[in-house]
Amino acid sequence: MASRLLSITCIRQKSHGDLSPTPHYPSMTKYPRGVSSEQEKLIRGSESKALFSVIGMTCSACAASVEKAVKRLPGIKDAAVDVLNNRAQVMFYPSLVDEETIREAIEDIGFEASLIKEENSDKSTQVCRILIKGMTCSTCSTTVESALQAIPGVHKAQVALATEEAQIQYDPKIVTQGQILDVIEDTGFEAILISSGEDLSRVELKIDGMRSVNSIKIVENSLEALPGVEDIDIDPELQKFSLSYKSNMTGPRNFIQVIENTGSGRYKAKIYPEGEGGGRDAHKRQEIRQYFKYFLWSLIFTIPIFLTSMVFMYVPGIKHGLKRKVVNMLEIGALMRWILATPVQFIIGKRFYTGAYKSLKHGSANMDVLIALGTNAAYFYSVYLVLRAATSPHFEATDFFETSSMLISFILLGKYLEILAKGKTSEAIAKLMNLAPDTATLLTFDREGNVVLEEEIDSRLIQRNDVIKILPGAKVASDGTVIWGQSHVNESMITGEARPVAKRQGDTVIGGTVNENGVLHIKATHVGSESALAQIVRLVESAQMAKAPVQKFADRISKFFVPMVIALSVITWLAWFLAGKYNSYPKSWIPSSMDSFQLALQFGISVMVIACPCALGLATPTAVMVGTGVGATQGVLIKGGQALESAHKVNCIVFDKTGTLTMGKPLVVNTKLLKNMVLAEFYELIAAAEVNSEHPLGKAIVEYAKKFREDEENPAWPEARDFESITGHGVKATVRNKEIIVGNKSLMLDLNINIPLDAEEMLAEAEEMAQTGILVSIDGELAGVLAISDPLKPSAREVITILKSMNVKSIMVTGDNWGTARSIAKEVGIDTVIAEAKPEFKAEKVKELQASGHTVAMVGDGINDSPALVAADVGMAIGAGTDIAIEAADIVLMKSNLEDVITAIDLSRKTFTRIRLNYIWALGYNLLGIPIAAGVLFPSTGFRLPPWIAGAAMAASSVSVVCCSLLLRYYKRPKVLDTLEIGGITVE
């Protein structure tokens, strides 16, 4: 499993020249309806080639998405996507499609595409991930994206609001990471580099004992000289060295040894303690503490302001003291409120001024602009009233200092609660990361292979090829291979599979899983960022960075939302002010503590602060974050918002048969010879032909043939010459000067090999029993018939029944013969069957279903399924399948259970129900809140919304949207799945 998971590695893009051969998936040219055969010939004669720069791809899943999007267009002959060099090469027919249409198709799935010339393909590209602190709404993320895109040398910038991260593709020859960080800082946000390049392992070391710049330089030079060290980043203040290195050449223990030897014992190095001075979690905790501190300080000043303006004015003794005059009509109470409100406005509220200034500087307007305008209006109007009272012997007025200070306090409280809630959206990733044990037992051997030393080390110090001892009940410290011992390992925390898996010498183990009974010695094969656990975490993180198509709706609204709100607030103030000036409403409507201008101003400020795009911007990404995280814990890896959105629309599922509906472990159950020969000799000939085949049926034949050589574990078969694999039919080879053909009935008929009546009867009998009949020809004459059985997965029938109840149509497409296919389909309850299908025909069938209006999911496990997985709206790969299938798929079912098809669809439906609820709430809140804040209820009911309550409501809207998304954490798969039996055990 570990090696399979490693196929989804996200790697830094570097220049490698030509397009890499993988991933590449077959393509079928699609012509518009009504195109005649003559027109097809003309079209085929005018093909063109275009090379696109595609920015934003981070892994094979991205490449598969791009390739899928391009190949769905009419007139595409072929497309190859190179994730390493950010390139897509497309062969197309200009009369049916043009470069701009292809470019738009790539951009529609979330990547930036531009047409480039071949000579520019040597431009190197790197990727870095940056944590951005202080973003409040989708306007903020859009502002940062625009600023980054404007930097020369930056090819693509993707900013995720929910994760508060940016992923930037850039040319290091033109722009540096430092310049990128400076630009983000200039937009008003704090930027912290998380990683730069994901194909390298990275470790952070704390070094004590370095007292001068010279000693730091000596250590740096010593480390740079080591083979495999790629990059060193030093923070002298924290005494922290961050090293990027190639794990197959060196490792952290080597670094520590070199450091300590360099200083003759003066320097001491250790892994940098988690949570100190770096890491996303540390910054998140710091941000939470910071907001809480701001809120507390704001509260200290705001409570006295609130009491003097709202409470003490009704307490006779205190009221008299507050009403005492200082200068002219200036009262002690007003002066106190001014003094207390000023630090809240300009010190605690400084962040809003900074954010608003930098947002406006870059031509956009965000939440900070609304808050700054609203609080400034209340504060400076109150200052005007105070100064006027101080200079006038007759003027009396009521100030609004409590409005500005309470508004800032409630917004800070809302941001504090929002950050707390957002932190919980990524708990699934935190849980996955915490699966790795803290320590490991490292074994040292002598030349004879005897253990001479057992040493407990930090698990982050494990290097490739280390031998680690795993005790019963302990977690496996690293991905590796068992070299000694036997045990059962519980892999449910990684794969979701409940049953413990037997492990013995030669078997692979996954880091983070639990050893149940025996002692194991494992040799570490994948460490640090290469481990299966790290790959899963990275895939989930990448999925959470990707925007779902539905999020475009919120992004479009946020562009004009803030200017529209400012205009509405000005119109509201003006309408109420003019209505008061021209006596359009009774004087009795005006509260005794204010005049018509002040009433109008309060309505205007309320409109300004109640409407904010924060909730709208968080509606989709928070739900996608929680949904993909929950999916990972359920053993369903969803590769981003696009896959999640498509899955909830699925109404038709195409199933492969072998390894998907069936166990994928076929066995030879019967053999009938049609000519006189020794059975062992018969199997020796066909095993020699089939040993080169990757097909499961071929492997079953070879395994069965081994039984005739009980004394040999890996027998040497006779040499097979002129081997040919005929896709979907069988194999041909020459063995011992005899032409051996092993395959299905159609292959024999194509090669004009006569099939006797008794062979036909044997085939029919096998097919009736849902077995696959294989014919064997020797020198052009039929020599035998094999019956191969591949038992159904225990829950296959129940899964199909449940899908029917969910209004999802099921279809089976297989390369097997019609008789066996119909028997299997009848057994599981599938009505529509397509048999003897070649790989490209599976993809064509998917496209036909799409053309008829279905949203199609393809579930498969083999190389021959990858074209269909790419063509489908949602490709689901069985986790035990091949690397190419896993790479081509949008969703990986880690447990290899069919029930997870239902889990994936149900989870996506629940997630999108939550997104719709979020949008309804966010939009409904603004549609209701703005008119109420503008005073539409005031004439009839006397109800008005004070600005500070409007600010509290605005803060509460964002918190409520995040909390609504957080309810997905309690997702439970459909109860009907809990009763299904899997391999003899019930899944609880």
Side-chain angles (χ1 to χ4, degrees), residues 185-196:
E185 298 271 358
D186 189 48
T187 58
F189 306 99
E190 188 179 345
I192 297 139
L193 184 67
I194 298 171
S195 66
S196 54

Side-chain angles (χ1 to χ4, degrees), residues 850-875:
Q850 289 169 332
S852 64
H854 288 95
T855 301
V856 183
M858 170 71 195
V859 185
D861 73 322
I863 292 172
N864 60 341
D865 297 323
S866 56
L869 289 170
V870 171
D873 296 286
V874 183

Side-chain angles (χ1 to χ4, degrees), residues 77 162 170 266 306 521 951:
K77 182 184 179 184
Y170 66 100
R266 294 196 311 274
F306 174 77
H521 290 180

